Short mmCIF file of all heavy atoms in Angstrom, two decimals:
data_model
loop_
_atom_site.label_atom_id
_atom_site.label_comp_id
_atom_site.label_asym_id
_atom_site.label_seq_id
_atom_site.Cartn_x
_atom_site.Cartn_y
_atom_site.Cartn_z
N SER O 122 -126.41 -137.45 9.84
CA SER O 122 -126.87 -136.69 11.02
C SER O 122 -125.71 -136.02 11.75
O SER O 122 -125.92 -135.04 12.48
CB SER O 122 -127.60 -137.61 11.99
OG SER O 122 -126.69 -138.47 12.66
N LEU O 123 -124.49 -136.58 11.61
CA LEU O 123 -123.35 -136.16 12.42
C LEU O 123 -123.70 -136.21 13.91
O LEU O 123 -123.19 -135.45 14.72
CB LEU O 123 -122.85 -134.76 12.03
CG LEU O 123 -122.26 -134.66 10.61
CD1 LEU O 123 -121.85 -133.22 10.30
CD2 LEU O 123 -121.07 -135.59 10.43
N GLY O 124 -124.61 -137.12 14.25
CA GLY O 124 -125.05 -137.25 15.63
C GLY O 124 -125.28 -138.70 15.98
O GLY O 124 -125.15 -139.61 15.15
N ALA O 125 -125.64 -138.94 17.23
CA ALA O 125 -125.85 -140.30 17.71
C ALA O 125 -126.87 -140.31 18.83
O ALA O 125 -127.18 -139.26 19.43
CB ALA O 125 -124.53 -140.91 18.20
N SER O 126 -127.38 -141.49 19.13
CA SER O 126 -128.33 -141.72 20.21
C SER O 126 -129.50 -140.73 20.07
O SER O 126 -129.91 -140.40 18.96
CB SER O 126 -127.63 -141.62 21.58
OG SER O 126 -128.45 -142.16 22.60
N SER O 127 -130.03 -140.27 21.17
CA SER O 127 -131.24 -139.44 21.09
C SER O 127 -130.99 -138.05 20.53
O SER O 127 -131.95 -137.33 20.21
CB SER O 127 -131.91 -139.35 22.47
OG SER O 127 -132.25 -140.63 22.95
N GLY O 128 -129.70 -137.65 20.37
CA GLY O 128 -129.40 -136.42 19.64
C GLY O 128 -129.70 -136.61 18.15
O GLY O 128 -130.24 -135.72 17.48
N TYR O 129 -129.34 -137.76 17.64
CA TYR O 129 -129.71 -138.18 16.29
C TYR O 129 -131.24 -138.26 16.21
O TYR O 129 -131.86 -137.76 15.25
CB TYR O 129 -129.01 -139.51 16.03
CG TYR O 129 -129.40 -140.34 14.85
CD1 TYR O 129 -130.01 -139.83 13.71
CD2 TYR O 129 -129.09 -141.71 14.85
CE1 TYR O 129 -130.33 -140.64 12.63
CE2 TYR O 129 -129.38 -142.52 13.77
CZ TYR O 129 -130.02 -142.00 12.67
OH TYR O 129 -130.32 -142.81 11.60
N GLY O 130 -131.86 -138.84 17.24
CA GLY O 130 -133.32 -138.92 17.26
C GLY O 130 -133.98 -137.55 17.27
O GLY O 130 -135.01 -137.35 16.63
N MET O 131 -133.38 -136.59 17.98
CA MET O 131 -133.93 -135.24 18.01
C MET O 131 -133.90 -134.61 16.62
O MET O 131 -134.86 -133.95 16.20
CB MET O 131 -133.16 -134.36 19.00
CG MET O 131 -133.66 -132.93 19.04
SD MET O 131 -132.73 -131.87 20.19
CE MET O 131 -133.45 -132.37 21.74
N LEU O 132 -132.80 -134.82 15.88
CA LEU O 132 -132.71 -134.28 14.52
C LEU O 132 -133.79 -134.90 13.63
O LEU O 132 -134.43 -134.19 12.85
CB LEU O 132 -131.32 -134.55 13.95
CG LEU O 132 -131.06 -133.98 12.55
CD1 LEU O 132 -131.02 -132.46 12.59
CD2 LEU O 132 -129.75 -134.53 11.99
N VAL O 133 -133.99 -136.20 13.76
CA VAL O 133 -135.05 -136.87 12.99
C VAL O 133 -136.41 -136.27 13.34
O VAL O 133 -137.23 -135.99 12.46
CB VAL O 133 -135.02 -138.39 13.25
CG1 VAL O 133 -136.24 -139.07 12.62
CG2 VAL O 133 -133.74 -139.01 12.71
N MET O 134 -136.65 -136.05 14.63
CA MET O 134 -137.92 -135.48 15.08
C MET O 134 -138.14 -134.09 14.48
O MET O 134 -139.23 -133.77 13.98
CB MET O 134 -137.95 -135.40 16.60
CG MET O 134 -139.21 -134.79 17.17
SD MET O 134 -139.06 -134.41 18.93
CE MET O 134 -137.96 -132.99 18.86
N LEU O 135 -137.12 -133.25 14.53
CA LEU O 135 -137.26 -131.88 14.02
C LEU O 135 -137.45 -131.87 12.51
O LEU O 135 -138.21 -131.06 11.97
CB LEU O 135 -136.03 -131.06 14.41
CG LEU O 135 -135.87 -130.81 15.92
CD1 LEU O 135 -134.52 -130.15 16.21
CD2 LEU O 135 -137.00 -129.96 16.46
N ALA O 136 -136.77 -132.80 11.81
CA ALA O 136 -136.97 -132.90 10.36
C ALA O 136 -138.40 -133.34 10.06
O ALA O 136 -139.04 -132.84 9.12
CB ALA O 136 -135.96 -133.89 9.77
N ASP O 137 -138.92 -134.26 10.86
CA ASP O 137 -140.30 -134.71 10.65
C ASP O 137 -141.29 -133.59 10.95
O ASP O 137 -142.34 -133.48 10.30
CB ASP O 137 -140.58 -135.93 11.52
CG ASP O 137 -141.91 -136.58 11.18
OD1 ASP O 137 -142.12 -136.92 10.01
OD2 ASP O 137 -142.75 -136.73 12.09
N ASP O 138 -140.97 -132.74 11.93
CA ASP O 138 -141.81 -131.57 12.18
C ASP O 138 -141.87 -130.67 10.96
O ASP O 138 -142.93 -130.12 10.62
CB ASP O 138 -141.30 -130.78 13.38
CG ASP O 138 -141.54 -131.50 14.71
OD1 ASP O 138 -142.34 -132.45 14.75
OD2 ASP O 138 -140.90 -131.11 15.72
#
Side-chain angles (χ1 to χ4, degrees):
S122 73
L123 295 177
S126 195
S127 301
Y129 167 23
M131 178 181 282
L132 183 68
V133 172
M134 179 192 72
L135 294 172
D137 189 55
D138 288 345

